[in-house]
Amino acid sequence: MTQAQSPIRVALLGAGTVGAAVARQLYARGPLLASRVGAPLELSGIAVRDLSRPRDLPGVPEALLTDRPEDLIDGADVVVELMGGIEPAHGLLTRALEGGAQVVTANKQLIAQRGAELEALAAERRVGLDYEAAVAAAVPVVRVVRESLAGDDITWIAGILNGSTNFILDMVARQGMSFEDAKDRAGELGFLEADPTEDLEGIDAAAKIVILARAAWGVPVRMEDVQREGISQLTDHHFDTARGTGQVIKLVATAWRSGTPESPKVEVAVRPVSLAGDDPLALTREGGNTIVIETASAGALRFAGAGAGGEPTASAVLGDVVAAARRVVAGRS
Ligand SMILES: NC(=O)C1=CN([C@@H]2O[C@H](COP(=O)(O)OP(=O)(O)OC[C@H]3O[C@@H](n4cnc5c(N)ncnc54)[C@H](OP(=O)(O)O)[C@@H]3O)[C@@H](O)[C@H]2O)C=CC1
Ligand SMILES: N[C@@H](CC=O)C(=O)O
């Protein structure tokens, strides 16, 4: 084994819905991932809050678990943050970037609120900061906006960006489920944030549209800039009225450029909207996400798929881990 092929040390911060799925997929696909990276990925530790909690981590040595995430940062090639919240995640990732580690996160609140600062630090240290899973989970859209469409002029983005509220609205609209039962079911499926008001009040969708807007237009967009309304105030009356006219209520996040391509001004909003039944966003089922991106040259592009849940989100996280690990291998030669 050459120096370039020696194991890439991956520190996993968090083993909840997403983190546990990442650990499982990393173990299950070890040889495949090694062949794609050019070196094996070695899980160097897994940080959790409660060591006594039972976990579904078959094949993962228990000795890797620690309740001291800070101990995993130094010495890691890639740090994967799946804890959620602003602190201690922000402090840990700052330390990881300062130490020269590649960083991967699915934490949309952290990226929406502190992403500009972390990206500046990553650029200064010449390391990667990847967060594909932070927007639309499994649906590849961050990289599309940041890279694939970098030569085009994006004019408009509209999306169903929150899987749990879409699940709830879909269950109420199509299955006649009560609002309360649908919320419970979304929680059981692992779609809801630790604080479900983030989903229900549109805060989660707001963070995601802020991230996309910044990536699309390269201008500072803050959470406070989002005109935001959630779904918690909806009643049977709203659903009955929409159904009676063949419409469907969805929580839609929108961002549009109102200035020129050279001097863009950006507007962002999240609100429940009644859509015609055949609108692509209206056709989004269960925990799915759909994003429509309008551009000057490519026209309207549509992306759809699983927008929440452990295994789909882990797929996007692992894509970022492979990209980060490839950079580590490239930097060794
Ligand atoms: N769930 C989803 O569908 C999606 C989630 N995300 C994002 O992914 C991230 C993780 O989400 P999810 O897996 O659902 O969250 P969970 O709440 O299920 O898991 C969080 C994990 O982090 C650990 N943790 C939290 N705080 C600390 C701490 N201070 N020290 C050590 N460990 C800690 C928890 O430990 P313990 O297990 O002991 O409690 C747990 O293992 C969040 O940022 C979320 O927004 C993004 C896309 C989809
Ligand atoms: N709570 C979020 C999880 C994924 O980002 C959602 O429901 O979309």
Side-chain angles (χ1 to χ4, degrees):
M1 182 188 291
T2 65
Q3 162 65 14
Q5 294 166 326
S6 61
I8 310 280
R9 291 172 62 79
V10 179
L12 186 56
L13 312 183
T17 304
V18 182
V22 167
R24 285 192 296 269
Q25 291 183 22
L26 237 165
Y27 268 69
R29 300 199 190 113
L32 180 70
L33 297 176
S35 73
R36 288 178 180 166
V37 167
L41 300 181
E42 178 187 286
L43 211 43
S44 57
I46 306 175
V48 295
R49 198 167 18 202
D50 178 1
L51 283 170
S52 66
R53 199 176 139 191
R55 301 189 189 268
D56 180 18
L57 293 173
V60 180
E62 225 182 297
L64 287 181
L65 292 170
T66 173
D67 58 3
R68 295 178 51 82
E70 59 280 8
D71 289 355
L72 300 182
I73 305 294
D74 304 335
D77 296 304
V78 182
V79 173
V80 184
E81 186 274 309
L82 299 168
M83 302 191 313
I86 303 299
E87 293 296 349
H90 169 258
L92 291 163
L93 295 193
T94 300
R95 181 165 155 182
L97 293 168
E98 279 173 345
Q102 309 286 327
V103 165
V104 173
T105 179
N107 190 333
K108 50 262 166 146
Q109 291 302 334
L110 178 64
I111 294 300
Q113 294 177 42
R114 310 296 291 271
E117 169 203 325
L118 291 172
E119 290 197 288
L121 180 57
E124 183 194 311
R125 299 297 157 125
R126 296 175 185 274
V127 290
L129 169 64
D130 291 300
Y131 44 85
E132 182 62 64
V135 181
V139 187
V141 66
V142 173
R143 203 167 265 118
V144 165
V145 170
R146 283 213 297 195
E147 295 175 19
S148 316
L149 294 174
D152 207 322
D153 173 24
I154 297 174
T155 51
W156 177 277
I157 301 174
I160 309 270
L161 295 180
N162 184 267
S164 48
T165 48
N166 195 67
F167 181 88
I168 293 165
L169 294 173
D170 192 35
M171 290 298 114
V172 174
R174 284 195 309 128
Q175 313 281 343
M177 208 184 248
S178 77
F179 197 52
E180 285 306 312
D181 286 352
K183 271 193 286 188
D184 289 347
R185 188 78 188 104
E188 285 159 19
L189 289 168
F191 292 169
L192 286 164
E193 295 302 309
D195 173 5
T197 58
E198 285 192 16
D199 296 301
L200 300 174
E201 300 306 333
I203 300 166
D204 178 81
K208 292 166 176 169
I209 198 71
V210 161
I211 294 170
L212 284 184
R214 276 206 309 243
W217 293 292
V219 292
V221 185
R222 300 162 309 157
M223 287 293 280
E224 307 84 87
D225 298 328
V226 183
Q227 303 160 43
R228 175 174 57 81
E229 191 185 325
I231 65 162
S232 55
Q233 80 295 349
L234 293 176
T235 63
D236 287 342
H237 172 70
H238 295 103
F239 292 108
D240 291 343
T241 308
R243 203 176 289 119
T245 56
Q247 297 205 311
V248 181
I249 299 177
K250 293 290 186 189
L251 184 66
V252 179
T254 348
W256 63 101
R257 172 174 67 64
S258 56
T260 62
E262 296 73 29
S263 177
K265 287 200 187 87
V266 176
E267 315 264 351
V268 266
V270 173
R271 55 174 72 99
V273 178
S274 271
L275 299 168
D278 60 355
D279 186 291
L281 298 186
L283 297 171
T284 312
R285 303 280 193 246
E286 303 190 354
N289 280 186
T290 303
I291 301 101
V292 179
I293 303 176
E294 289 185 10
T295 73
S297 302
L301 302 170
R302 195 184 306 166
F303 304 84
E311 300 297 332
T313 307
S315 160
V317 172
L318 274 183
D320 281 350
V321 170
V322 167
R326 283 175 174 159
R327 286 194 293 268
V328 175
V329 171
R332 286 171 171 172
S333 46

